[in-house]
């Protein structure tokens, strides 16, 4: 490998992958050992583009695959077939994928079929239940089982990989989401005036988009929110709605027009970080937000029954509340009424990294390919 650049293709396609991969793309692009080729599947379109703009990343290949209300079968086969063509043309030495999406599992499988080495960013997360989250738990297992390099955010993630009988190529790096978050919080100034928040009210930020919450669970969440704003005249709820029609078509009939509930379009990452910082409590089923909010000292109630991110639950900043309406209402009410309980949860802790994950991943890749700078 000496004197020859290592060709690295980063493949990503959804909003959270972009947030967590763009800082890494930037870092690797700055290293003369590497030739970096960014490939986006565009499993998401608008929500991906807004992150690419923020980090000023122009993809080398844009597969432009998103279709309205896409299904797993068609999206999976499109990613397999289209990434093969790009891998054939580019011939990367290493393909980096992120996390647990269809983009991650199918582009890793495609790289595996093409005999290309694979690096998994955010490796080792598990609930050990194949249906929760669906289909993400199996996506992660697929990617880890065919990866050569596994970049784990925490000790627990490292242990999970070892438990599956894999011992080589594992690196504890922290999560690149903290690199992204710190970059944005420190460098980007954002004005939230366009949301028209009432400064005299406590803001509760809500996001929910997971497949296993479609239908009844999401309805329960919405009815819980309705009850909470009716009972508490001193709160306002902001819900940036995911563009998935399964989310919008359920939420709007219940929450549209409800006093002190603001249903807004998905926010660009920088205003979203500013909104998280301003919030009193965050309710979410998002993976990334469970990692970011504890760093900002905002209590998080997770609208799921399990989490592959147990670290912040153990530290006390995150609590699992599921999707039962009365449990959601009771837990939020306790935090609103009991300052001691609230203070215990709102501690700035950072179990997911120190903002240096990209640097650690870069070092691990250099070590793996024995590259001389
Ligand atoms: C996907 C991931 C999920 C991740 C989430 C992050 C899979 C199986 N699911 O779920 O793990 O947590 O992204 O947000 O990989 N849409 C748009 N514009 C966009 C994005 C989405 O219109 O920019 C709409 C489209 O109609 C699209 C639909 O949302 O078909 C669903 O997108 P998809 O990526 O299949 O599922 P998500 O629910 O976003
Ligand atoms: N996010 C954003 N705008 C929003 C909602 C979320 O930028 O309106 C960010 C959030 O800060 C986090 C990521 O998107 O970094 C989470 O994405 P999502 O919830 O879609 O996916 P998940 O993390 O559950 O896979």
């Amino acid at each position: 490998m000496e004197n020859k650049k290592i060709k690295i293709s980063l493949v990503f396609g959804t909003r959270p992958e972009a947030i967590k991969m763009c800082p890494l793309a930037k870092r690797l692009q700055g290293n003369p050992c590497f030739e970096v080729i960014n490939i986006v599947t565009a499993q998401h379109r608008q929500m991906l583009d807004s992150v690419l703009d923020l980090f000023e990343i122009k993809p080398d290949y844009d597969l432009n695959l998103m279709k309205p209300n896409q299904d797993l079968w068609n999206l999976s086969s499109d990613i397999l077939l289209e990434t093969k063509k790009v891998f054939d043309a580019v011939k990367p030495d290493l393909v980096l994928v992120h996390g647990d999406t269809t983009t991650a599992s199918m582009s890793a499988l495609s790289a595996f079929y093409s005999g290309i080495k694979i690096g998994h960013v955010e490796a080792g997360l598990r609930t050990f239940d194949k249906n929760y989250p669906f289909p993400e738990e199996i996506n992660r297992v697929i990617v880890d089982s065919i990866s050569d390099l596994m970049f784990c955010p925490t000790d627990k993630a490292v242990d999970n990989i070892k438990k599956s009988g894999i011992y080589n190529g594992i690196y504890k790096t922290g999560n690149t989401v903290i690199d992204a978050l710190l970059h944005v919080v420190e460098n980007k100034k954002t004005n939230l005036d366009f949301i028209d928040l009432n400064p005299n009210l406590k803001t509760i930020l809500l996001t929910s988009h997971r497949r296993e919450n479609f239908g009844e669970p999401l309805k329960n969440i919405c009815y819980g929110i309705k009850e909470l704003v009716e009972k508490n005249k001193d709160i306002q709820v902001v819900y940036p709605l995911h563009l998935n029609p399964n989310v919008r078509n359920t939420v709007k009939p219940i929450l549209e027009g409800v006093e002190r509930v603001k249903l807004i379009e998905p926010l660009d990452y920088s205003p979203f970080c500013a909104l998280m910082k301003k919030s009193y409590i965050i309710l979410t089923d998002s993976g990334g937000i469970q990692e970011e909010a504890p760093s900002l000292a905002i209590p998080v109630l997770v609208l799921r029954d399990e989490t592959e991110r147990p670290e912040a639950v153990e530290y006390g900043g995150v609590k699992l509340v599921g999707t039962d309406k009365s449990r959601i209402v009771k837990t939020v009410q306790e935090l609103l009424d009991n300052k001691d309980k609230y203070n215990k949860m709102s501690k700035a802790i950072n179990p997911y990294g120190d903002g240096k994950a990209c640097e650690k991943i870069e070092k691990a890749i250099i070590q793996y390919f024995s590259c001389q700078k």
Side-chain angles (χ1 to χ4, degrees), residues 174-193:
N175 197 309
T176 58
V177 78
I178 305 299
D179 302 34
L181 179 71
L182 296 182
H183 170 76
V184 165
V185 169
E186 283 160 18
N187 298 301
K188 309 274 174 185
K189 293 270 168 285
T190 310
N191 187 325
L192 290 179
D193 286 354

Side-chain angles (χ1 to χ4, degrees), residues 14-17 19-20 44 47 50-51 54 98 100-101 122 136 177 180-181 205-210 239-242 264-273 275-276 284-292 304 309:
T14 64
R15 169 174 65 192
E17 291 169 278
I19 290 169
K20 293 166 169 181
H44 287 172
M47 284 158 57
S50 108
V51 184
L54 175 70
H98 182 279
D100 54 20
T101 64
E122 201 182 85
E136 289 84 359
V177 78
L181 179 71
L205 173 59
L206 167 65
T207 82
S208 179
H209 73 277
R210 303 219 76 88
Y239 186 173
L241 283 176
H242 196 284
I264 60 173
E265 291 305 308
L267 290 173
D268 290 343
Y269 187 50
S270 175
F272 189 76
C273 291
L275 181 59
M276 281 196 286
T284 190
D285 62 11
S286 159
I289 296 170
Q290 288 177 62
E291 294 155 345
E292 292 161 337
R304 294 170 55 189
R309 294 166 169 90

Side-chain angles (χ1 to χ4, degrees), residues 14-16 43-48 66-70 72 75 100-103 135-136 139 209-211 214 242-245:
T14 64
R15 169 174 65 192
Q43 173 177 337
H44 287 172
R45 186 69 274 172
Q46 307 90 314
M47 284 158 57
L48 171 76
M66 193 193 88
K67 297 199 177 72
N69 211 5
Q70 61 209 359
L72 294 173
L75 177 64
D100 54 20
T101 64
T102 304
T103 288
E136 289 84 359
N139 285 340
H209 73 277
R210 303 219 76 88
R211 250 159 231 268
F214 291 167
H242 196 284
L243 291 178
N244 192 329

Side-chain angles (χ1 to χ4, degrees), residues 7-9 35 37 39 60-61 84-93:
K7 237 187 216 187
I8 304 180
S9 279
E35 180 184 346
I37 299 108
I39 304 168
D60 300 285
Y61 292 85
K84 176 194 186 295
K85 290 179 198 160
V86 181
F87 294 158
D88 283 351
V90 172
K91 298 194 172 29
D93 299 302

